[in-house]
Amino acid sequence: MGEQEKGGPDVNGPQQAGPGKNGIDPNQASHDSPSALPPPPLKPPIEKPHTFKQANSTNRSAVFVKPGTRNDRKNNAGEVKEVSDLFSLMRKTLKTFSLYGSSSSAAQDFQSRLYKVFTQTLERLGPISLRIDSSSLIYHGETVLSEDSSVESYLYRLYSTGIRYLTFRPGLNIEELSEFLHILSLDPNTRELQDDDLVTLFWKSDFNNIHYIVVEGFTEAGNKQEDQENVDFEAALSSILDAVENELPPEQIVHSVRISEEDINSSPPAIQLEQFGPSKDKDSNAKVFLLTDQEMLEIQTRILSKPPEYDLAKVTDMLIELMAWESDSTEVQNILDSLLLILDYALSRDMFEIASRVVGGIKWITIPRKDGHTYSEAAIQAAHSGLLEASLPERIKPLLSALSDEKNHSRITAHLRALPQQAAEVLSDLLVEVPERVHRDIISSVIVRLGRNNPQIFVSRLEHSKWFVVQAMVNILGQIGQHEHLPAILKVYEHENPEVRAEVVDATAKFTLEEVKYFLSKALFDEDKRVRIKAITQMSRFKGSDTAKYLLGQVKDTSFLDKNRQEQRAWFKTISEVGDESIIPELEELVTARKFRKRSQYEHIRAGSLYAISRIGGPAAAKALEKLSKARLSGLIRAAHSRALEELKKKK
């Protein structure tokens, strides 16, 4: 059963070890390659304190089996009660979202309460990791929430799309929580969920402090098979949860999933871990993990002889482990060359799981350990060099071409994110070869992460000849949000392509009103409707009666009649979001003014004013709507008045 964790390379693969030394079975070596002689037999194994298999297994266990983690807190009834209360409140919040909409005052009140409780609980307990089944949410073996298994149940919807574990981490911000709630509260019949499932929407949201683990290939008809595999699945993932709760780096968490059931069952007791764990003496490690020239030839021969994918996974893991502890720079380079050979082989055959395994493993060596031990300096330097090699255009192009198949998206994204910051420039240059906007957005999200500390490489490409490259650069600079680059972003607004101008409007989201108000007031009158709608939507960030009155002044201008209903409604929505009760009399006047009542083309403006009054809400809105109920209103306006009253009742 495959599983993946957001933000890390998928490293699933069979973990069987062959009977030969270091898990290599000489009987499986292929002799079909015309350029390779049959591999020489391996030397008889040298007597050592323990085999590579033991060192590998216990080494990983030593990293993850720590006192004071999940098992020690398992029976803490107070902690379980606290988590149960938290997710009961989340259920109420989601119900409010579903009933009244995420922008309603009731939903916002619940969201604020939930966020406050969430942050307090995370501060006290640290990361909260939960297992999901079709009707229950389970925390440290205790059920903290139960629901009926139906399409309305958010637990069932998570479960049915393959999500089995959720982890919320300290640092969770209100934007992440709001987006998480929005996705879970979506009606299953909405366009959003028809185009994408929950997993895809979570992935697009790119949460930093909400992690999830997905079981691929889940179907409701496959429950029996899943039950049979559940024990193996639980064992393989328990180390990941320990790692998350102990705030280990993602690469170490990824590494932990390689622990097989055999590893777990055969791991020695904790008291023996120090004896079998990595030695502080580098020379000692070099002896344990030493590869002879003959063994290296065996590995390279098998790589060249088209081994099966599972065999490459075993070889890759072994080479990464060997490279991490080898102190001789020549040997380290030999191992790195073999890993790059595997990488090129995998990329040439669309074996992206193996490619991610190679790059993720090399990246793992560059991350400082938390247990006090350090990898050899030669290995660390070689790992940085290897990541640069993996960033060459010829090794990135196959990944971009494979984005046409959606099933590759998460694995390719994980692969690209493991690359060093120098890859941001390579990816920026390669965007010109990516025709689809959705694929450019995927790459842009990676570029932002890699190149955040060197945004000048994006500024220098704002004058690129291809409009969609300019659009992507604006998008990236907008996400970075550094004030010194705002003039360069706004200058691009003069671009002839409306898609680029619309992106410039979106890119202003992280800047203040004082910095962008003149620009947005100009964009409100762009020749392209999409740009204008984006501009009026951005104006909703700037609360205050001054903004509302400026917009109302534009509504009264006769040019407002040229806008279609969608654009007019966007204006009134923004007016209701930036204004308060002080502008209700002016909105009321738009409904009753003689010049508006006599001309049918003004009906949508009058209906929009009623819509805005109901969204503002409060006693002044109720009084205005009551007064208007006594006025002579036409059929369309009377219907808009009734809808406004219903909306106001919901707010109460």
Side-chain angles (χ1 to χ4, degrees):
M1 180 177 295
E3 64 268 7
Q4 69 188 50
E5 176 157 7
K6 177 182 178 290
D10 190 323
V11 292
N12 303 316
Q15 299 296 317
Q16 302 99 332
K21 183 179 176 177
N22 292 343
I24 298 177
D25 185 354
N27 296 322
Q28 291 181 352
S30 171
H31 300 265
D32 298 333
S33 173
S35 61
L37 295 173
L42 292 177
K43 286 183 178 180
I46 302 171
E47 288 298 319
K48 295 178 180 177
H50 54 286
T51 66
F52 175 82
K53 171 75 174 166
Q54 290 170 314
N56 192 13
S57 171
T58 55
N59 176 16
R60 287 175 292 187
S61 300
V63 173
F64 296 108
V65 180
K66 295 185 176 181
T69 57
R70 294 187 309 117
N71 293 334
D72 295 320
R73 301 199 309 264
K74 195 170 183 179
N75 298 316
N76 188 329
E79 183 177 317
V80 171
K81 174 67 164 56
E82 189 171 358
V83 174
S84 177
D85 291 343
L86 170 63
F87 286 93
S88 294
L89 179 57
M90 177 182 282
R91 177 167 55 185
K92 294 177 183 177
T93 305
L94 286 168
K95 186 174 183 180
T96 306
F97 268 51
S98 300
L99 289 175
Y100 305 118
S102 59
S103 61
S104 67
S105 58
Q108 292 300 308
D109 287 345
F110 265 100
Q111 179 178 288
S112 297
R113 285 172 52 198
L114 177 63
Y115 180 65
K116 182 178 180 181
V117 175
F118 234 127
T119 53
Q120 291 172 347
T121 305
L122 289 170
E123 285 175 7
R124 282 193 294 272
L125 304 182
I128 299 175
S129 297
L130 306 118
R131 182 163 62 85
I132 299 166
D133 67 20
S134 60
S135 60
S136 303
L137 195 62
I138 298 164
Y139 177 73
H140 297 341
E142 300 288 338
T143 299
V144 293
L145 189 68
S146 296
E147 292 187 332
D148 293 334
S149 298
S150 65
V151 291
E152 289 81 16
S153 162
Y154 80 86
L155 291 180
Y156 180 76
R157 291 169 66 191
L158 289 168
Y159 180 82
S160 63
T161 52
I163 296 175
R164 291 294 181 275
Y165 284 87
L166 275 175
T167 297
F168 298 87
R169 298 175 60 82
L172 177 72
N173 59 52
I174 187 67
E175 290 79 14
E176 289 179 301
L177 180 60
S178 179
E179 179 67 10
F180 181 78
L181 294 172
H182 166 71
I183 293 171
L184 281 187
S185 64
L186 288 172
D187 188 310
N189 297 316
T190 60
R191 177 65 180 271
E192 246 179 309
L193 282 179
Q194 289 175 355
D195 293 341
D196 296 315
D197 60 13
L198 289 180
V199 175
T200 305
L201 293 176
F202 282 173
W203 172 77
K204 286 182 176 179
S205 299
D206 195 23
F207 297 124
N208 288 323
N209 298 295
I210 303 174
H211 296 253
Y212 51 91
I213 296 175
V214 179
V215 179
E216 296 177 345
F218 171 79
T219 60
E220 292 186 43
N223 285 344
K224 288 186 178 180
Q225 180 181 358
E226 181 184 359
D227 290 341
Q228 294 171 357
E229 297 176 350
N230 191 52
V231 174
D232 293 345
F233 180 69
E234 293 288 339
L237 291 179
S238 63
S239 58
I240 298 178
L241 297 179
D242 281 334
V244 170
E245 292 189 359
N246 285 279
E247 301 183 356
L248 293 179
E251 287 74 15
Q252 290 194 16
I253 296 173
V254 167
H255 193 57
S256 73
V257 79
R258 302 174 189 174
I259 299 177
S260 66
E261 185 181 11
E262 179 186 353
D263 288 331
I264 294 170
N265 292 336
S266 63
S267 292
I271 193 170
Q272 297 178 347
L273 290 180
E274 184 175 353
Q275 174 187 351
F276 286 97
S279 168
K280 297 179 182 179
D281 179 1
K282 293 181 181 178
D283 293 335
S284 169
N285 282 305
K287 291 177 182 176
V288 173
F289 297 114
L290 183 64
L291 271 183
T292 67
D293 291 340
Q294 190 175 17
E295 289 167 338
M296 182 60 73
L297 177 61
E298 164 75 10
I299 291 170
Q300 292 182 341
T301 301
R302 296 192 65 182
I303 292 170
L304 290 169
S305 63
K306 301 182 181 180
E309 188 165 348
Y310 81 88
D311 208 13
L312 275 182
K314 289 195 300 180
V315 172
T316 298
D317 287 353
M318 182 182 68
L319 289 176
I320 293 295
E321 200 77 56
L322 292 169
M323 180 176 166
W325 297 108
E326 178 59 66
S327 58
D328 183 86
S329 57
T330 302
E331 293 297 332
V332 168
Q333 187 60 50
N334 287 338
I335 297 172
L336 178 61
D337 289 344
S338 294
L339 286 167
L340 293 175
L341 186 63
I342 293 175
L343 176 61
D344 291 337
Y345 179 92
L347 291 173
S348 69
R349 288 161 176 78
D350 293 345
M351 298 164 65
F352 299 114
E353 179 181 352
I354 297 299
S356 293
R357 203 179 194 106
V358 173
V359 174
I362 294 174
K363 176 79 171 181
W364 169 70
I365 294 175
T366 69
I367 304 240
R369 291 169 59 105
K370 288 192 173 184
D371 60 1
H373 302 304
T374 58
Y375 302 121
S376 75
E377 189 62 31
I380 295 172
Q381 290 179 4
H384 285 293
S385 172
L387 290 174
L388 290 176
E389 289 281 344
S391 303
L392 294 174
E394 57 267 28
R395 288 189 170 117
I396 291 181
K397 283 182 180 180
L399 298 168
L400 305 189
S401 301
L403 286 171
S404 57
D405 189 343
E406 189 174 342
K407 70 181 182 182
N408 294 325
H409 287 185
S410 59
R411 190 163 289 150
I412 290 174
T413 302
H415 182 128
L416 294 174
R417 286 181 176 179
L419 298 176
Q421 63 180 11
Q422 290 89 339
E425 191 163 4
V426 177
L427 287 168
S428 298
D429 288 334
L430 291 177
L431 275 174
V432 71
E433 301 182 22
V434 182
E436 297 292 333
R437 170 66 192 264
V438 65
H439 301 155
R440 293 197 298 272
D441 286 345
I442 292 171
I443 299 168
S444 295
S445 69
V446 175
I447 293 174
V448 170
R449 293 171 68 99
L450 298 180
R452 184 176 294 276
N453 295 327
N454 188 19
Q456 193 57 41
I457 63 177
F458 313 127
V459 175
S460 65
R461 289 167 171 77
L462 288 175
E463 297 182 2
H464 198 281
S465 59
K466 297 292 186 180
W467 70 265
F468 54 83
V469 175
V470 178
Q471 180 191 46
M473 296 301 106
V474 170
N475 174 279
I476 291 166
L477 288 168
Q479 291 186 62
I480 294 174
Q482 293 184 3
H483 298 276
E484 59 266 31
H485 300 128
L486 180 59
I489 295 173
L490 297 184
K491 184 179 178 181
V492 179
Y493 181 70
E494 304 303 325
H495 202 284
E496 63 180 12
N497 191 297
E499 295 283 353
V500 176
R501 298 200 302 275
E503 197 68 53
V504 173
V505 174
D506 282 342
T508 65
K510 289 191 175 182
F511 300 96
T512 65
L513 174 60
E514 291 303 315
E515 293 175 299
V516 300
K517 65 180 179 181
Y518 173 76
F519 163 72
L520 287 177
S521 64
K522 179 181 176 181
L524 287 173
F525 303 98
D526 192 276
E527 63 184 30
D528 188 87
K529 181 188 73 173
R530 291 167 298 175
V531 178
R532 297 195 301 268
I533 290 177
K534 284 182 177 290
I536 190 63
T537 302
Q538 284 293 338
M539 291 290 289
S540 66
R541 296 189 295 118
F542 308 123
K543 313 298 182 185
S545 58
D546 289 344
T547 305
K549 288 179 179 179
Y550 166 76
L551 296 177
L552 281 171
Q554 301 302 320
V555 168
K556 295 175 183 178
D557 191 271
T558 54
S559 63
F560 192 77
L561 293 172
D562 296 331
K563 303 182 187 299
N564 66 13
R565 290 181 61 183
Q566 179 190 8
E567 189 174 353
Q568 288 181 357
R569 189 171 181 84
W571 274 70
F572 283 109
K573 182 179 180 182
T574 294
I575 289 170
S576 70
E577 290 175 355
V578 302
D580 54 23
E581 290 187 344
S582 66
I583 67 167
I584 287 180
E586 203 165 343
L587 289 166
E588 186 179 351
E589 183 183 352
L590 286 174
V591 179
T592 59
R594 179 181 295 273
K595 72 171 185 176
F596 291 159
R597 286 190 288 115
K598 295 294 184 180
R599 300 172 66 179
S600 60
Q601 61 262 49
Y602 283 99
E603 284 189 332
H604 293 303
I605 295 178
R606 298 171 70 197
S609 300
L610 289 165
Y611 167 71
I613 290 172
S614 69
R615 283 178 58 85
I616 293 172
K623 184 177 179 180
L625 291 176
E626 182 181 357
K627 179 180 176 181
L628 289 169
S629 65
K630 301 174 183 177
R632 296 178 61 185
L633 303 175
S634 65
L636 187 149
I637 306 305
R638 177 64 64 186
H641 180 267
S642 298
R643 289 195 297 271
L645 286 173
E646 288 297 320
E647 180 66 26
L648 199 61
K649 288 179 182 178
K650 290 180 181 179
K651 285 182 175 292
K652 291 181 179 180

